[in-house]
Amino acid sequence: MTYTPGSSYSGFTLKEFQHIDEIKADVYLFEHDVLGCPLLAIKNDDHNKTFSAAFNTIPTDSKGVAHILEHSVLMGSKKYPVKDVFGEINKGGLMTFLNAMTGSDITYYPFATRNLKEYFNIMDVYMDVVLNPLLAQSTFEQEGWHYHQESKDTPLQYQGVVYNEMKGAFSDPIRLIFHHIFGGLMPGSTYSHESGGDPQDITKLSYEEFCDFHKTHYHPSNATFLVYGDAELETELAYLQNNFLSRFPDKGKRAEVQPGTDIKEITFIEDSYSVDSADTAEKTFLAVASTVSTVLDREENTAFQVIANILYNSDASPLKNAIISNGLCKDFGGFYLSTSSFKTMMVTYLVGSDPEKRDSFLKLYRETLSQMAKDGLGHELILSELNKYEFGVREEGCKAQRGLDLIGKALPAFKYGTDPYDSLQINELFASIRNKALQENYFEELISKYLLDNPATVIVTLSPDPEKQAREQALEAARLQEYGKSLDQSGQEKLIARTLELMADQQQANSVETLSLLPQLGLNDLEQELDFHEVQATEIAGREFLISELETDSISYIDIGFEISTLPSRFLPWLDLFGTIVTEIGTSKMDYMHFAREIGICTGGFSHSFHCHVKKGEHGDFRPILWFQMKCLPEYQERALQLLTEVFSNLSLQDRVHIQEIIAREFAWAEHAAQSEGYGLAASLAFAQLSKAGACNELVSGVTAYRSTKNLSLNYPSLEEAFLQDLQEMADTIFNRNNLILSITADEAEISSFKELSKGIITSLPDTLLPKQELILPELPEHEALITSAEVVYAVQSGTLLPNGKGYNGSFEVLKTYLSRDYLWNSVRQMGGAYGCFIQFSHISGNFAVISYRDPQVRKTYESYQAMSKVISDLALPDEVLQQLIIGTYGNFTPHQASAAKGAAARNEYLNGISSEYKQQRIREIIATSVQDMRSYADAFAGMQTKSHRMIIGNRAKIEADSDLFDQIGEL
């Protein structure tokens, strides 16, 4: 069908059309004839159809109403009065993406699927829930907050999913820094409020305010609709108009962002964050943020994204090196916010500093920045970061979720009144920036104009406070006590009755009749036989070579692996640090700054990872491989491989100062991650109890590695010599031809050239035969708790469920879908108040773990875990529910992946002994699953739970209240 600008189609008038060759798409901009809402259609041959409805949700306080509403509309609508619509859809579909997100001034509801029938099914559901939600008070209480008391003998508490989520979020000092930056730079604006909700303010939100916010912000006139992919545009427009938009006869108002006031002088903000240690040295965060311009100037905004990497993130940056070498912090970085608000801002931060270093930092920051602007940034440094940015743009075209990426680029244009077509194109603009940056003093002039002597600047100091958590808990307890005292006996009885009523409602499953209201796929919509990608296994110069020939837009994704089974166990806690140092430190020919410039010029990135590849059927034997990943374009492949050859054969560990800086930085971020998230550490301890591979992973990236890095960072001067000797011995052991395995994902031409060029890497390595080392396993308590300053916990329980995978087939995957998306979702999330709960399982080892996320409970969560065997034994599912679980499981087994991810997955499957035939058999078993098949695992769960391990990390008070569950409680 041909569309003509100015003509109307199903209630939408086409305002503009362009074919954008850069994204290989036809792009249509429509406006609704009555409601005035825009619709952007990005049409191409991508089968992964994507839809999003976005609403301008403008907060006027920090009660989190937009965030709570985002959760709540998904809990049922007039057409679909299904408890937890989102959860039910998530159980049984082929979606490649399904979510809802709240930003500082917008809430959007995107999904993607390759199935046309499902595309319109979910479009129907999403449109109805956002426009016609039920918004029951019980939903507000469950998703937002409520007073919770189960009996007269139990404590009065605040509970609610968003309340607990934001308690976890506010445990992260980075979140607090952003809160102060936006509020400080734009006082009185939309962005001075916490749209996600400040836990102290969430409990002030009333049900009436909650409902009113939906009425004022969820009218379609306040929405932007976006569609992407190969669905027929005519059908999409008609579907939205006929089923939803035509029912709104009158145009509503479009919510507007409040700009606030511009600050006229530098503002200093001081605050603190919680730590669970009296040692506060070098744990302060410092940040400097300046308003630069507005979203209207695309060229300057794009240029500043490159400038931010030059100044703050490149290891070749004179500014970064000056600040770190002067001992002002453990890490220094920054970024440019180009679309977070109408105003754009530059942000830089110091991690691992002290409050008294602030003024020295500001002085050095300004002096060095002035000198760089005066002397020039250097041609090689500018070229390096320009190439890196352009590589990222090139790689975006290969993303699996290309639709989501383009929708994300276009949405700010509708929020701030810029041209959405401009937001989808970059090549011509970037060519101009590249020319001006390399041929003129463009970047230097921008630095002088906007970053030096800018009065619109906020400087934030965030200091560690060991007493803050106790003070906040005391204030919360006082508020609860005051409320409790305000209730007479009748009031308390009503509160307890309401709590029990809410809990009973949460346990009540949807009926088959109610679930049948949701549009669903059937088993006949599933393809029975699938074409799974496999690597081609061959050799180069006698070394194992794994090839994934896939369309990558000429990008080569190169993996160079070294098996580390010849490395003594005592080195394993250093392995991640070793990998980081190798990718940064340089060689005898290039110092780390020269090396960083070279990496930026000729590659899209150089990184490392570690995997224990456990082979199916070999009873726990595994190959531990340290992988080095590099990606590059064809014109730089030879230069990139020469760089790898130089790194592996001529690594230099002579720069002691920079090695110490790397260690300090890595521990600072590891400490931050442990305090703000931490579940990965608890999970690593749990799996270390179950297998040699789990123990190896724990030594490399778990608590053992964390504590080793902590000790090294805190006592580096006395440990330096021994550590540097260890690094050299590790390099001598690891970089050996006999350990080598090569892998590539690329087009045919790039694979062909790699085969020849990679021989230089192989021949440069020594060929010494080294003996394999026996893994020395760590001694661990069966049940361990780790204390952090988090407001919540992450509770893990693990065990060997199906030893060496015996008894596993596809029906177990359906059971796993039921447990994670139904039983645990209801018991741990909805009833317990956790933000989430998920399962980790290896079908090769048969090891199993369940992990809660941002959880306010300890004992209740473990009780839910312990009940799994009985839940499975008593399982009774209607055929309709089972069918949806099967379809959801099938979707997990057929993921939508970009070529790079598909190649990496195929490589890992080959090393794990997983063939296409094996995967096809699992698919057949999944489709044929019965409830009896699922119940058959009950005994395995019962047996596992008698020998399971509990590991938890998080809030001290919550853990100590249930200390009898753990053999050992300690600190990181």
Side-chain angles (χ1 to χ4, degrees), residues 173-191:
I174 299 296
R175 179 77 178 234
L176 197 51
I177 287 173
F178 272 97
H179 179 71
H180 286 310
I181 285 173
F182 279 93
L185 284 177
M186 294 177 281
S189 74
T190 293
Y191 309 101

Side-chain angles (χ1 to χ4, degrees), residues 103 119 148 160 176 258 281 311 440 454 468 645 727 769 836 887 905:
Y119 177 65
H148 189 96
L176 197 51
Q258 296 302 310
L311 296 180
E440 307 169 20
N454 186 343
K468 183 171 185 176
T645 301
L727 288 181
L769 284 173
I887 292 170

Side-chain angles (χ1 to χ4, degrees), residues 174-227:
I174 299 296
R175 179 77 178 234
L176 197 51
I177 287 173
F178 272 97
H179 179 71
H180 286 310
I181 285 173
F182 279 93
L185 284 177
M186 294 177 281
S189 74
T190 293
Y191 309 101
S192 64
H193 306 298
E194 178 56 63
S195 64
D198 184 328
Q200 294 187 25
D201 292 326
I202 287 173
T203 56
K204 300 172 186 175
L205 181 67
S206 71
Y207 175 62
E208 290 71 26
E209 290 174 303
F210 165 76
C211 294
D212 286 344
F213 193 87
H214 181 271
K215 290 176 185 175
T216 56
H217 289 81
Y218 276 67
H219 190 281
S221 293
N222 191 41
T224 301
F225 301 102
L226 304 102
V227 295

Side-chain angles (χ1 to χ4, degrees), residues 25 46 63 89 109 257 400 590 627 646 915 964:
D46 191 344
K63 296 177 185 178
I89 295 175
Y109 299 83
V257 167
M590 289 180 281
W627 292 100
E646 176 73 11
S915 65
D964 60 297

Side-chain angles (χ1 to χ4, degrees), residues 220-503:
S221 293
N222 191 41
T224 301
F225 301 102
L226 304 102
V227 295
Y228 166 90
D230 67 353
E232 286 189 1
L233 176 56
E234 183 181 8
T235 306
E236 291 171 315
L237 295 175
Y239 200 93
L240 289 170
Q241 171 65 3
N242 296 338
N243 292 287
F244 298 99
L245 303 184
S246 63
R247 300 174 187 177
F248 290 82
D250 300 316
K251 185 177 182 178
K253 291 184 178 180
R254 204 161 177 87
E256 295 183 358
V257 167
Q258 296 302 310
T261 57
D262 295 328
I263 62 173
K264 305 297 184 183
E265 59 184 19
I266 295 175
T267 302
F268 292 87
I269 298 173
E270 297 182 1
D271 197 359
S272 62
Y273 72 98
S274 297
V275 293
D276 197 76
S277 169
D279 178 14
T280 60
E282 296 185 329
K283 292 183 179 178
T284 293
F285 292 79
L286 300 174
V288 177
S290 301
T291 300
V292 173
S293 184
T294 72
V295 296
L296 300 178
D297 197 323
R298 291 185 64 236
E299 184 172 86
E300 285 190 355
N301 288 332
T302 304
F304 266 113
Q305 291 176 57
V306 181
I307 291 170
N309 285 328
I310 289 173
L311 296 180
Y312 308 135
N313 301 323
S314 172
D315 280 350
S317 164
L319 178 62
K320 180 174 184 174
N321 287 307
I323 288 169
I324 291 178
S325 64
N326 274 273
L328 295 175
C329 60
K330 294 179 180 178
D331 194 23
F332 172 76
F335 41 84
Y336 184 71
L337 297 174
S338 60
T339 59
S340 295
S341 65
F342 182 74
K343 296 175 184 176
T344 59
M345 59 191 75
M346 187 71 90
V347 179
T348 183
Y349 57 82
L350 277 70
V351 178
S353 188
D354 292 297
E356 61 270 18
K357 293 175 181 176
R358 184 194 70 184
D359 293 344
S360 297
F361 156 64
L362 293 174
K363 182 174 183 292
L364 182 60
Y365 176 81
R366 191 187 185 289
E367 289 174 351
T368 309
L369 204 56
S370 299
Q371 198 66 40
M372 290 176 71
K374 178 183 176 183
D375 297 344
L377 301 178
H379 182 274
E380 292 292 298
L381 178 55
I382 293 173
L383 178 63
S384 170
E385 293 305 323
L386 286 169
N387 281 9
K388 188 185 296 183
Y389 185 91
E390 193 165 21
F391 187 99
V393 171
R394 174 83 163 264
E395 199 171 26
E396 284 175 354
C398 304
K399 284 184 176 180
Q401 295 294 349
R402 182 63 167 149
L404 284 173
D405 178 61
L406 294 174
I407 284 172
K409 291 178 184 298
L411 262 179
F414 294 101
K415 289 194 294 181
Y416 308 127
T418 59
D419 188 339
Y421 287 94
D422 286 344
S423 66
L424 299 174
Q425 302 174 80
I426 188 68
N427 289 351
E428 184 178 338
L429 176 72
F430 195 75
S432 171
I433 291 171
R434 176 183 283 275
N435 180 66
K436 290 165 72 173
L438 293 173
Q439 303 302 324
E440 307 169 20
N441 293 321
Y442 181 50
F443 285 174
E444 290 86 350
E445 290 169 0
L446 289 177
I447 291 169
S448 297
K449 181 179 178 181
Y450 291 107
L451 299 186
L452 294 174
D453 300 318
N454 186 343
T457 296
V458 167
I459 297 163
V460 180
T461 303
L462 198 62
S463 304
D465 183 352
E467 308 298 326
K468 183 171 185 176
Q469 188 174 78
R471 288 197 307 273
E472 291 183 341
Q473 288 173 347
L475 287 172
E476 179 179 300
R479 291 198 303 271
L480 287 167
Q481 185 179 40
E482 182 180 358
Y483 177 75
K485 285 182 177 179
S486 72
L487 300 176
D488 56 18
Q489 183 176 343
S490 174
Q492 185 184 35
E493 289 172 353
K494 287 179 180 178
L495 170 60
I496 294 170
R498 179 58 184 162
T499 300
L500 297 177
E501 180 184 3
L502 182 61
M503 294 173 65

Side-chain angles (χ1 to χ4, degrees), residues 315-318 321 584-585 590-598:
D315 280 350
S317 164
N321 287 307
E584 294 185 25
I585 198 63
M590 289 180 281
D591 65 19
Y592 74 91
M593 290 181 285
H594 183 183
F595 183 70
R597 291 193 296 269
E598 189 70 7

